[in-house]
Amino acid sequence: MTDMTEVTAVADVTDSADVIPRPRHAVAQDAFFDLGPDTRLVAGEGAGHTERWLRATLGAATGLPLAPGAGDGGGVVRLSLDGGLADEGYRLDVAPEGVHLTGGGPAGLFWGAQTLRQLLGPDAFRRAPLPGRRWRLPLGRIEDAPRFGWRGLMLDVSRHFMPKDGVLRYLDLMAAHKLNVLHFHLTDDQGWRIEIKRHPKLTETGSWRSRTKFGHRASPLWEDKPHGGYYTQEDIREIVAYAAARHITVVPEIDVPGHSQAAIAAYPELGNTDVIDTTALTVWDTWGVCPNVLAPTENTLRFYEGVFEEVLELFPSEFVHIGGDECPKDQWRASPTAQARIAELGLADEDELQSWFIQHFDTWLSERGRRLIGWDEILEGGLAKGAAVSSWRGYAGGIAAARAGHDVVMCPEQQVYLNFREDGGEDEPVPIAFVRTLEDVYRFEPVPAELTPQESGHVIGTQANLWTEVTENQERVDYQLFPRLAAFAEVAWSDLPAPADRDYAAFERRMATHYRRLDAFGVAYRPPAGPLPWQRRPGVLGRPMDGPPPNK
C-alpha cells in the first residue's frame, strides 16, 4: 500500500474510522475495500466462533451472505490466530484484495471483529439492512491490545430488577466496547435475584417487595405496587453462556454479612433473632445502609455454603464476589450470640468478627478452586488471605491491598460510579452525588501514582459501577451509562497518556460518530446538550453534592 500515514489512533479518513476504544497503533489510507455479495468469510483453525458471530451480526446488518470459501472476485475476509500476539490482542489488515483479521487468541480475534464492525460505519450496528447502503472498510492496519485484563461493568439488578433480555442486551453493548467482565450484583436488602433450589423462599419471598421509594431515600414519593423478579437457574446458564460467547466473564455477587434483609425476610433464622423480631422483617422498600445483618452463627454459614454451592455450579468464573461492604455492627454489639462468638474465637471486636466471616468463605472458596473478591471493607479487621479487593471508597483501600500483595480492581465511587449525576443542571433526572462528566470519566486513572511498579502489577483492572436505586428501567440505565461507559471503556482498554495530557477534544470528535452507533443500537443515552424532555424526572428528590469529589 502507498501514501500511508502513521497515527496514534485511526486517521480521520471517514467518520466510520473513529474507533472507540482507541487502538494502540494504526495506519490508514484514503482508499477502501468494498464488501459485496461475493465477499467471502474464511476462518482458520480456532477462528470458527468469531466467524459465526461476524456472519450473524454483519449478515443481519448488511444483508450480505459472507459465505465461506475462497471467493470469486469479491475479495475475502480472512480470520486466523497468531500465538505471537497477546491473547486479547489483534491485528487488522485491510488491503485492496481483502481483509485479514488476526487474533493472539480467540478473545483477541473477537475484539478485532468489534473494530471491524465499527469501521463499517454506524449502520453496521443495526439488525436489518438499509436499502442502498454501501459497505466498505478503509485500507490500512490496526494493531491493538488491552491495557488491563479486567475491564468491567457492575450492574446492580437487586434494587431494580433487569429482565433477562435486558442483561443479554448489555452483554452485547459491553462486547461492542471491548469490556470483558460483568460484575452481576444479584442480592441485596431490596431483592434476591437468583434461584437457589435448596432454599426456594429466597425467590418466593425475597425477590419481591411491596412498594418502592421513588427517588432518594429522603423523597416523599413511593411507587405503591410490588416490584421484583428473579433469574431461574436456566436463565443464569443462558446469561453465562451468552457472555462466554462474547468473551465476557460473569462474576456473581452474593452479599454477606450486610445487605441481606431480603434473605432474612425469607429465612428469619439468618438474622440476629436475639436482638430483633426477624419474623417481622420484609424485603426492604427504601434505600441506604440497612441495619439488619446476618447472624454470625454456624447455621448462617451452612446456609450460605449451600447457596454458594449452587452459585459455583452456575458460574465458572475464577472470582466470586461476596460483598462485605456496609455492614453495621450495632446488632452484633447487642447480640449475646455474636458476643459469645467473639469470645469463643478470641477476637478483639466486631470488625474482627466480620473479618472472620469473610475469611471463612475465602477458605471455603479456595478449597474449591475459586477466589474471593469483596468491597474494600473486607480490609477492616484484617484482610482475608488470598482475597482480592474492589476498591470503591476511593483509592486508599486499593493502595493498601496492593501494597499487601493482594489483587485489586479499581472502581472508586468518586470517579466511576455512573449512577452519579452527569451534569450540574437542574434538568438532570434524580441527581445523585457529585458531577461526573464525560470528560471526568475520560480522565480517570485506575493506577495510583504512589504505587511502585511491583505494587501496580496488583491492579488487575478497573470497572464502572451502576447502582440502580434511582434507575428504575432500561432507559434510565442507558441514560446513566452512556456515553460515559464509552469513555470508561477507552480508559480500561487503551494505553492513554496521563490524565491531564489526554486529548479529550479528539475523543469528542470520535464520539460524534459513536453517538450514531449508539442510535443504531437503540441506546437512550444522555445527549451532549442535556436530557431530552422525557429523560427528566421533575419533582423527584435526589441528593446532589457540590464541588469536586475527594480524590483519595
Side-chain angles (χ1 to χ4, degrees):
M1 291 180 283
T2 59
D3 297 324
M4 301 294 286
T5 303
E6 186 169 331
V7 290
T8 56
V10 177
D12 190 17
V13 172
T14 165
D15 61 1
S16 67
D18 295 326
V19 174
I20 290 177
R22 189 186 78 172
R24 287 190 177 187
H25 172 80
V27 291
Q29 183 181 15
D30 194 6
F32 301 89
F33 167 75
D34 284 84
L35 279 71
D38 296 326
T39 302
R40 301 291 178 142
L41 183 58
V42 179
E45 184 177 355
H49 168 72
T50 297
E51 175 195 22
R52 291 187 292 274
W53 183 88
L54 273 173
R55 185 170 289 117
T57 305
L58 296 187
T62 65
L64 300 175
L66 299 174
D72 184 18
V76 175
V77 177
R78 192 176 305 278
L79 310 176
S80 64
L81 300 180
D82 179 354
L85 299 174
D87 184 63
E88 287 196 280
Y90 67 90
R91 181 175 59 245
L92 176 62
D93 288 300
V94 184
E97 63 275 10
V99 179
H100 190 186
L101 175 59
T102 309
L109 191 69
F110 184 73
W111 304 133
Q114 305 308 312
T115 296
L116 188 154
R117 186 189 192 186
Q118 287 197 22
L119 291 172
L120 283 171
D123 288 338
F125 287 78
R126 298 190 180 275
R127 293 169 179 81
L130 298 178
R133 182 67 166 85
R134 185 180 185 185
W135 300 101
R136 60 184 191 171
L137 294 165
L139 303 188
R141 166 176 283 195
I142 293 176
E143 295 177 290
D144 201 9
R147 180 185 180 191
F148 291 109
W150 182 304
R151 306 180 301 281
L153 170 65
M154 193 287 299
L155 273 181
D156 166 26
V157 296
S158 180
R159 274 54 177 270
H160 277 98
F161 178 64
M162 180 179 289
K164 180 189 69 177
D165 284 353
V167 178
L168 301 181
R169 174 178 178 267
Y170 269 100
L171 289 167
D172 281 331
L173 281 164
M174 289 177 65
H177 291 82
K178 301 185 177 75
L179 298 173
N180 70 343
V181 177
L182 173 63
H183 174 171
F184 208 19
H185 184 79
L186 289 163
T187 73
D188 218 296
D189 302 299
Q190 296 86 0
W192 185 285
R193 305 294 177 217
I194 177 173
E195 178 188 27
I196 302 297
K197 293 185 182 295
R198 73 189 69 185
H199 301 307
K201 291 181 182 178
L202 287 172
T203 46
E204 290 172 2
T205 299
S207 70
W208 288 92
R209 58 180 181 261
S210 62
R211 64 175 186 168
T212 298
K213 176 70 71 171
F214 192 31
H216 183 258
R217 62 180 176 270
S219 167
L221 303 177
W222 293 88
E223 186 178 42
D224 283 308
K225 66 178 183 180
H227 174 85
Y230 67 92
Y231 309 104
T232 67
Q233 294 200 356
E234 289 74 17
D235 292 336
I236 292 291
R237 289 188 176 94
E238 181 182 355
I239 289 167
V240 169
Y242 196 86
R246 286 147 183 79
H247 297 277
I248 296 171
T249 299
V250 183
V251 174
E253 179 176 351
I254 306 295
D255 261 304
V256 295
H259 287 290
S260 298
Q261 182 161 321
I264 298 169
Y267 292 93
E269 65 272 20
L270 296 174
N272 294 284
T273 58
D274 55 352
V275 177
I276 63 165
D277 178 9
T278 57
T279 63
L281 294 178
T282 61
V283 178
W284 214 27
D285 57 12
T286 189
W287 319 123
V289 179
C290 180
N292 298 305
V293 302
L294 297 174
T297 64
E298 291 299 317
N299 176 68
T300 300
L301 297 181
R302 300 294 87 75
F303 182 96
Y304 273 87
E305 286 170 0
V307 169
F308 281 116
E309 282 178 4
E310 295 192 29
V311 167
L312 296 192
E313 291 176 0
L314 296 167
F315 296 93
S317 57
E318 175 186 6
F319 288 97
V320 175
H321 208 292
I322 52 75
D325 63 314
E326 296 180 329
C327 179
K329 309 299 193 301
D330 293 345
Q331 290 184 359
W332 287 355
R333 292 187 185 99
S335 165
T337 300
Q339 293 303 309
R341 176 69 86 176
I342 289 173
E344 171 196 343
L345 297 171
L347 304 177
D349 54 22
E350 291 77 19
D351 283 344
E352 286 197 3
L353 182 62
Q354 177 172 342
S355 180
W356 164 82
F357 202 107
I358 299 300
Q359 288 175 11
H360 174 86
F361 285 103
D362 179 43
T363 300
W364 190 91
L365 288 167
S366 296
E367 289 172 348
R368 288 153 181 82
R370 306 297 185 93
R371 293 182 64 187
L372 179 148
I373 185 169
W375 302 109
D376 55 55
E377 282 94 331
I378 67 174
L379 293 161
E380 297 170 4
L383 185 63
K385 183 181 179 181
V389 169
S390 300
S391 187
W392 76 274
R393 293 181 297 178
Y395 290 100
I399 290 170
R403 286 176 172 167
H406 294 268
D407 288 340
V408 176
V409 176
M410 281 293 185
C411 49
E413 61 172 334
Q414 303 91 339
Q415 309 297 328
V416 288
Y417 266 35
L418 299 188
N419 48 293
F420 285 13
R421 57 190 174 137
E422 302 179 59
D423 189 86
E426 294 183 358
D427 288 336
E428 290 303 311
V430 199
I432 297 297
F434 299 103
V435 172
R436 291 288 84 195
T437 66
L438 182 65
E439 182 172 0
D440 291 332
V441 175
Y442 191 67
R443 297 192 188 280
F444 163 58
E445 173 49 49
V447 180
E450 52 263 55
L451 292 181
T452 67
Q454 182 177 0
E455 292 165 348
S456 297
H458 285 292
V459 180
I460 60 174
T462 182
Q463 71 181 32
N465 294 343
L466 182 76
W467 302 101
T468 60
E469 288 93 336
V470 301
T471 311
E472 72 277 5
N473 56 36
Q474 178 177 291
E475 289 74 22
R476 285 286 289 117
V477 173
D478 280 2
Y479 182 92
Q480 292 301 130
L481 284 181
F482 290 99
R484 293 182 296 178
L485 192 65
F488 172 79
E490 184 147 310
V491 169
W493 176 278
S494 304
D495 191 12
L496 297 177
D501 299 329
R502 293 176 188 173
D503 192 345
Y504 178 68
F507 175 75
E508 279 192 305
R509 288 193 294 272
R510 286 182 286 125
M511 277 302 302
T513 298
H514 202 65
Y515 285 120
R516 292 169 55 202
R517 297 185 188 115
L518 297 177
D519 286 334
F521 212 112
V523 176
Y525 58 83
R526 181 189 188 275
L532 298 168
W534 53 86
Q535 293 175 319
R536 301 166 188 163
R537 295 292 187 276
V540 182
L541 185 68
R543 186 173 177 261
M545 302 173 73
D546 296 328
N551 188 24
K552 60 182 181 178

